[in-house]
Amino acid sequence: MSLLKWLSGSKTKAIRDHSTESTGSSYNPRTRFKSELTQSSLLPDSDPECASYSGCSVIHEDDPASDIKGAYEKVLQNKGPFQPKDIKFEVNKNRSFLISWYDLYPWLEYSPTSQAAYCYSCRAFPSLTNKACRGQHSEPAFVNVGFKNWPKAIRSFNKHQSSIPHKESTVKIAGLKSTVIVGDVTVQVNKQYSIEVENNRLYFNCLLDSLLYCCRQGIAVRGHREDDNSLNKGNFLELMELRAKDNTIIKQYFIEKEKSFRYVNPSYLNMFIEYMGKDVLQSIIRDIQDSKFFSIMVDETQDLAKHEQVAICIRYVSKLFITHEVFLGFYRTDKTDGETLVNLIKQFLQTNNLSIQNIRGQCYDGAASMRGSYTGVQARIRSENKFAIYVHCYAHILNLCLVDLSKQSSFVRNTFGTLQTLYSFMGASSKRNSVFEKILSTSSINVSQKTKLKSLSDTRWNCRIEAINSVINTLPVIVQTLQNISDSDVNYGSEANNLLNCILHFEFIFCLFLLKTVLEQTNILSKYLQSPSINYALVKEMSIKTYDSLQDLRSDESFNKCWESSQDLVKNNGFLPPKLPRNRKISYKKLGGGHVFPEFHDEKSYYRISIYFPVLDIVMKEIKDRFNENDLSILNSLMETLTNESPSQSSIQEVCKFYGPNEDDLTAELKIFNKMFKGYGKVNNIENRILYLKNKDIQNGFPIIVELLQIFLTIPTSSVSCERSFSCLKKLKNYLRTTIGQERLSNMAILYIEREREVNNEQIINLFNKNKNRKIDLE
């Protein structure tokens, strides 16, 4: 260490001129240089090869004789050996220094001052005398004395060049230069470590992207056999192999297995799915907490493993008045009574740091355990939070109206029964279905999804109108198919003939067109109710308009259109014309006699009075009665307060009494806001009022109105988000995947349904880096 300090010392200034000093004494550079060399530990007392100096007036700063210790600094400054060529070399023993030696020995230096040669490498890194090295140390003649025995130069140079001290000093110079350029060993190790960490994280990003792709596609991750000899290792491993073809990181880590880890076994995949699912869930929870108020929607269903699955969804409104309905997972339960479901909901809220006091709405189906007035879920939650208003799902209500229609009207019941029987009869046999498809392909009807027969379901809300349209579009083909089967099929010909008689009856055809007309009106409302952005005001307006449209159908003009459509179909295809039913009578002796049905003079009057008008009356009555269940006073007052230009004082008082704002402050805000909005020139509805608030950026001026708007938009009107999640459940937990774990199922469902949410891979990697079982450097 002392040698390095000695070599890195400050340079000796240039040797003074030969002129006389102020003291009057003359300066002899030979004497000064000799004095310095004598003090060095490498200078022997006498050396026969030491040359005498010749005088020099100017000394170059890189001259080896000017600074014996300066070679190390020259290396640091990236300077090479000092090799002057345009000078006169001193003759010694009839020989002198040759310029060609510079090319033969690149380490060679020449000093014009001392007229001697030096070794650039050994001057920079001289080797001290060490007994352990058996005398292997730098030669003083090439370090600080100077060599000028030119007759023996070649032999001495070769001997010095092959010596161990010279080789060591050459290696040290090369290492020092490399350190200056690329840094020392620590820097290089850190750089290599950083590169390795970066590649490891890049591999993990590729792995997580592949796994996320499988989850968001709803496909199975693992295969039945995942060993190297398997032809199908499962979607995830096959995807990784496919990506390895154009991804060098995956190829290096996954295919070539340059590392001892791959992290693709089931335990790690489950861990990554859990991390990603929780990352999306926490992102949703943060948004809900930012919005403060939220509503809860819950529904339950049974999966293929006979487990009861509870779907929990939450509706909230952002600060920009954008409505969101988000899915927060499936939760298994053994019971579906009100107490069990409430405890499940409360545990979920507590786990995710959501307060039950911030609930402003509840929406469930009509099950007794959910809507019960005393022990139902909605009653138990309202006992803890009176602001949690319960709304019976409007979509379920509308579906119940149509179900009740088929129960109350025998004509509708028979029509739907014929449709279901037809679907079951045609779909139960591939032979019968092939006959139908063959006849359909040869007909002039355009083959599409609308021509396929549809099944009926009490829970699939659009199935009825689809089933009716498919039969109307393919009725001639259906009749021809049933005739073919009736004539040729020995076993099922009778069933085909009975179906044919029902279908050819004019009553069936008329009911098809009547139900098509009715369901086209209600189906618009049904589709509208499935949108997450709807609110109470829009639903109420839409339901009123639907009722009015059904009321408009209750006219002779609308009946004539339906009648003519049925008549045209019958005439064009040669079906049976309409006829009056047999007028049944009851015996006079038993019940006093009389006709069961009134007498009709023509078929048209019979279908108008007995079928058309009664069906419309039943539908309208059911919609009016059932929709009144959600006609809540507080919601009507809140809607009037927020949408009416001049809301009644009673509505304002009810809103203030229920939600707590100051009545005078709310009245003042409404008065000013309504005056500003009146000049906006827009239709007076809640959407335009919200748009006006955002465009003018005046939310801060109306804090009470803004809060009431958020509460009003937060209140749900349907639980279709829960129903929609059941479609995901059937896709994820199918008959091949019935053993999937509950936590894995819930996390995969979140990733599948909330696919618009980004997954932060870097955060997942950092989370995994804290795992004690990892065998990889990630930071």
Side-chain angles (χ1 to χ4, degrees):
M1 191 68 181
S2 59
L3 176 61
L4 294 177
K5 291 182 179 180
W6 179 81
L7 290 173
S8 60
S10 60
K11 291 185 177 181
T12 304
K13 295 183 179 180
I15 300 177
R16 300 176 182 176
D17 284 340
H18 290 240
S19 57
T20 307
E21 298 290 337
S22 59
T23 57
S25 61
S26 61
Y27 176 74
N28 190 341
R30 180 196 301 267
T31 305
R32 177 183 177 277
F33 193 68
K34 184 72 173 180
S35 174
E36 289 185 358
L37 295 179
T38 304
Q39 297 174 6
S40 173
S41 62
L42 296 178
L43 181 63
D45 295 337
S46 60
D47 193 325
E49 295 182 347
C50 290
S52 61
Y53 288 92
S54 61
C56 182
S57 59
V58 179
I59 301 177
H60 195 276
E61 64 176 357
D62 293 331
D63 192 314
S66 66
D67 190 359
I68 299 299
K69 307 174 184 178
Y72 179 77
E73 291 187 2
K74 289 173 66 177
V75 176
L76 294 178
Q77 298 172 8
N78 202 21
K79 292 183 178 180
F82 183 67
Q83 298 176 341
K85 298 180 180 179
D86 53 349
I87 62 173
K88 183 178 181 181
F89 296 101
E90 183 182 58
V91 178
N92 182 19
K93 299 179 181 180
N94 296 326
R95 299 288 181 89
S96 65
F97 186 88
L98 300 179
I99 297 177
S100 60
W101 291 343
Y102 290 148
D103 298 328
L104 295 175
Y105 308 101
W107 47 266
L108 199 59
E109 289 186 309
Y110 187 82
S111 171
T113 303
S114 62
Q115 294 292 334
Y118 299 86
C119 176
Y120 171 73
S121 302
C122 292
R123 284 201 317 115
F125 291 97
S127 297
L128 298 176
T129 302
N130 191 342
K131 295 180 179 180
C133 297
R134 298 179 181 179
Q136 297 291 329
H137 57 274
S138 299
E139 302 176 58
F142 290 97
V143 176
N144 44 23
V145 176
F147 178 87
K148 56 184 307 183
N149 190 0
W150 310 128
K152 299 181 179 179
I154 298 298
R155 183 178 63 183
S156 299
F157 292 164
N158 289 335
K159 180 181 179 181
H160 176 74
Q161 185 173 251
S162 61
S163 65
I164 293 178
H166 175 80
K167 292 180 179 180
E168 289 180 351
S169 62
T170 303
V171 171
K172 291 178 181 179
I173 288 180
L176 180 61
K177 289 183 176 180
S178 175
T179 300
V180 172
I181 296 174
V182 300
D184 57 11
V185 176
T186 304
V187 174
Q188 295 184 50
V189 170
N190 290 337
K191 184 177 180 180
Q192 181 62 31
Y193 179 79
S194 300
I195 294 174
E196 184 177 354
V197 168
E198 183 179 357
N199 289 336
N200 292 342
R201 296 182 74 93
L202 185 59
Y203 170 70
F204 259 84
N205 271 285
C206 297
L207 187 149
L208 293 176
D209 288 341
S210 300
L211 185 58
L212 182 62
Y213 171 82
C214 294
C215 294
R216 286 184 170 169
Q217 292 300 113
I219 57 179
V221 175
R222 296 175 55 192
H224 180 66
R225 290 181 57 195
E226 296 182 345
D227 55 271
D228 294 335
N229 297 326
S230 177
L231 297 178
N232 185 356
K233 303 179 182 65
N235 293 317
F236 174 71
L237 295 182
E238 292 291 340
L239 178 61
M240 290 289 287
E241 290 189 0
L242 177 64
R243 295 190 65 195
K245 294 181 179 180
D246 51 14
N247 189 308
T248 56
I249 291 294
I250 297 180
K251 182 179 179 181
Q252 176 183 349
Y253 282 61
F254 182 74
I255 301 297
E256 297 177 354
K257 301 179 183 179
E258 293 188 6
K259 302 290 183 178
S260 60
F261 52 83
R262 295 198 302 171
Y263 295 103
V264 294
N265 60 54
S267 59
Y268 284 113
L269 295 184
N270 289 339
M271 183 188 302
F272 297 146
I273 291 175
E274 179 185 356
Y275 288 164
M276 291 190 292
K278 289 184 177 179
D279 182 70
V280 173
L281 180 61
Q282 291 303 315
S283 172
I284 296 174
I285 296 300
R286 286 192 295 268
D287 291 345
I288 296 173
Q289 292 171 342
D290 290 341
S291 64
K292 186 179 179 180
F293 302 122
F294 62 92
S295 294
I296 189 166
M297 298 169 288
V298 176
D299 204 351
E300 69 278 348
T301 188
Q302 191 180 77
D303 59 24
L304 290 178
K306 308 303 180 182
H307 298 153
E308 199 69 32
Q309 298 288 347
V310 177
I312 297 181
C313 296
I314 280 183
R315 178 185 175 98
Y316 69 95
V317 179
S318 67
K319 295 180 180 180
L320 298 177
F321 301 103
I322 300 175
T323 305
H324 301 272
E325 288 187 1
V326 292
F327 171 78
L328 298 181
F330 289 118
Y331 299 88
R332 182 179 169 183
T333 180
D334 296 330
K335 299 179 181 180
T336 58
D337 59 283
E339 182 180 2
T340 303
L341 293 176
V342 167
N343 291 335
L344 176 64
I345 293 172
K346 292 170 68 174
Q347 182 180 0
F348 164 79
L349 295 177
Q350 183 178 4
T351 302
N352 293 283
N353 296 322
L354 296 175
S355 174
I356 193 174
Q357 300 302 323
N358 290 333
I359 297 178
R360 291 297 178 267
Q362 309 173 70
C363 189
Y364 316 121
D365 58 17
S369 60
M370 306 301 293
R371 60 173 294 189
S373 302
Y374 300 102
T375 59
V377 173
Q378 65 92 11
R380 293 175 182 270
I381 292 181
R382 289 202 69 182
S383 65
E384 300 187 34
N385 178 11
K386 69 173 184 177
F387 303 112
I389 299 174
Y390 166 66
V391 178
H392 186 185
C393 175
Y394 274 98
H396 282 89
I397 290 177
L398 181 59
N399 187 62
L400 290 175
C401 294
L402 301 178
V403 172
D404 287 346
L405 171 62
S406 63
K407 293 179 180 179
Q408 297 182 37
S409 174
S410 60
F411 302 102
V412 176
R413 182 188 65 231
N414 295 337
T415 301
F416 283 136
T418 303
L419 290 175
Q420 183 61 39
T421 304
L422 177 63
Y423 172 81
S424 301
F425 179 77
M426 301 296 291
S429 170
S430 58
K431 180 180 179 181
R432 294 193 289 270
N433 187 67
S434 63
V435 174
F436 172 77
E437 291 181 347
K438 184 178 180 180
I439 297 175
L440 180 63
S441 62
T442 57
S443 66
S444 59
I445 302 174
N446 294 328
V447 180
S448 64
Q449 291 293 331
K450 294 182 179 181
T451 61
K452 294 184 178 180
L453 300 180
K454 306 291 183 180
S455 176
L456 299 181
S457 173
D458 288 341
T459 57
R460 232 170 7 100
W461 301 320
N462 295 334
C463 66
R464 294 179 179 85
I465 185 64
E466 294 175 354
I468 291 172
N469 285 330
S470 63
V471 171
I472 291 176
N473 293 333
T474 59
L475 190 57
V477 177
I478 293 174
V479 171
Q480 188 176 352
T481 302
L482 292 176
Q483 289 175 344
N484 189 315
I485 296 173
S486 177
D487 296 338
S488 60
D489 198 319
V490 177
N491 297 323
Y492 298 96
S494 60
E495 294 184 22
N497 186 63
N498 292 335
L499 268 175
L500 185 60
N501 292 333
C502 294
I503 291 174
L504 291 177
H505 202 286
F506 184 82
E507 179 184 302
F508 174 78
I509 297 174
F510 178 79
C511 287
L512 283 180
F513 282 98
L514 171 58
L515 293 175
K516 180 177 184 296
T517 304
V518 174
L519 294 179
E520 281 177 346
Q521 305 300 319
T522 59
N523 194 52
I524 296 174
L525 177 60
S526 178
K527 289 182 178 179
Y528 185 74
L529 291 173
Q530 298 178 42
S531 172
S533 61
I534 59 174
N535 55 68
Y536 179 79
L538 295 176
V539 170
K540 188 166 186 179
E541 180 183 5
M542 193 72 178
S543 60
I544 293 175
K545 297 302 181 184
T546 302
Y547 182 87
D548 292 342
S549 65
L550 293 173
Q551 183 71 36
D552 294 338
L553 291 176
R554 201 180 188 284
S555 64
D556 291 339
E557 182 181 358
S558 299
F559 168 75
N560 291 333
K561 290 181 180 179
C562 183
W563 178 263
E564 290 173 1
S565 300
S566 304
Q567 288 280 46
D568 291 340
L569 182 62
V570 168
K571 292 178 181 179
N572 293 334
N573 294 280
F575 297 158
L576 297 177
K579 63 178 182 179
L580 290 173
R582 182 174 62 87
N583 193 15
R584 293 178 293 166
K585 296 182 180 181
I586 298 178
S587 173
Y588 284 96
K589 294 181 180 180
K590 293 182 179 180
L591 298 175
H595 297 283
V596 176
F597 298 105
E599 294 187 6
F600 297 98
H601 299 289
D602 59 349
E603 294 84 0
K604 189 173 182 180
S605 299
Y606 167 76
Y607 280 94
R608 182 177 68 252
I609 298 173
S610 299
I611 301 177
Y612 187 82
F613 287 145
V615 168
L616 290 176
D617 291 341
I618 292 172
V619 172
M620 289 188 294
K621 181 179 182 300
E622 289 294 325
I623 290 178
K624 185 177 181 180
D625 293 343
R626 289 187 176 275
F627 274 53
N628 284 337
E629 179 184 355
N630 289 333
D631 193 18
L632 305 178
S633 176
I634 181 61
L635 293 181
N636 292 329
S637 298
L638 186 58
M639 180 180 66
E640 182 184 357
T641 301
L642 296 175
T643 60
N644 201 322
E645 293 182 357
S646 300
S648 63
Q649 196 63 30
S650 60
S651 296
I652 296 176
Q653 290 175 353
E654 185 175 4
V655 170
C656 293
K657 182 180 179 180
F658 188 81
Y659 288 109
N662 184 273
E663 182 179 343
D664 295 334
D665 293 341
L666 177 58
T667 303
E669 285 191 15
L670 290 172
K671 185 176 181 180
I672 297 174
F673 178 77
N674 287 332
K675 285 185 177 181
M676 295 173 61
F677 180 75
K678 190 173 183 180
Y680 190 55
K682 295 286 185 179
V683 179
N684 186 19
N685 55 30
I686 194 168
E687 289 80 13
N688 289 328
R689 286 172 171 262
I690 293 173
L691 187 62
Y692 178 74
L693 274 173
K694 293 194 295 185
N695 291 342
K696 298 297 182 179
D697 194 18
I698 54 176
Q699 294 94 320
N700 294 332
F702 304 95
I704 300 178
I705 293 179
V706 168
E707 182 173 329
L708 291 178
L709 276 172
Q710 289 180 332
I711 293 175
F712 184 74
L713 295 177
T714 300
I715 296 174
T717 56
S718 66
S719 58
V720 293
S721 296
C722 296
E723 296 284 349
R724 195 175 290 115
S725 68
F726 296 153
S727 300
C728 166
L729 176 63
K730 292 180 180 179
K731 188 172 185 179
L732 294 178
K733 197 168 185 178
N734 53 37
Y735 74 99
L736 291 176
R737 304 165 69 184
T738 55
T739 59
I740 186 173
Q742 184 63 35
E743 188 173 3
R744 177 186 173 96
L745 171 65
S746 182
N747 288 321
M748 292 186 71
I750 291 175
L751 295 173
Y752 178 80
I753 296 174
E754 300 296 329
R755 62 183 63 199
E756 294 181 358
R757 300 269 177 171
E758 294 292 334
V759 175
N760 191 339
N761 285 353
E762 296 301 323
Q763 187 171 344
I764 303 299
I765 296 173
N766 293 336
L767 188 62
F768 176 71
N769 188 51
K770 300 177 182 178
N771 194 305
K772 296 181 180 180
N773 295 328
R774 66 173 180 83
K775 301 177 182 179
I776 182 175
D777 294 320
L778 296 172
E779 66 177 10

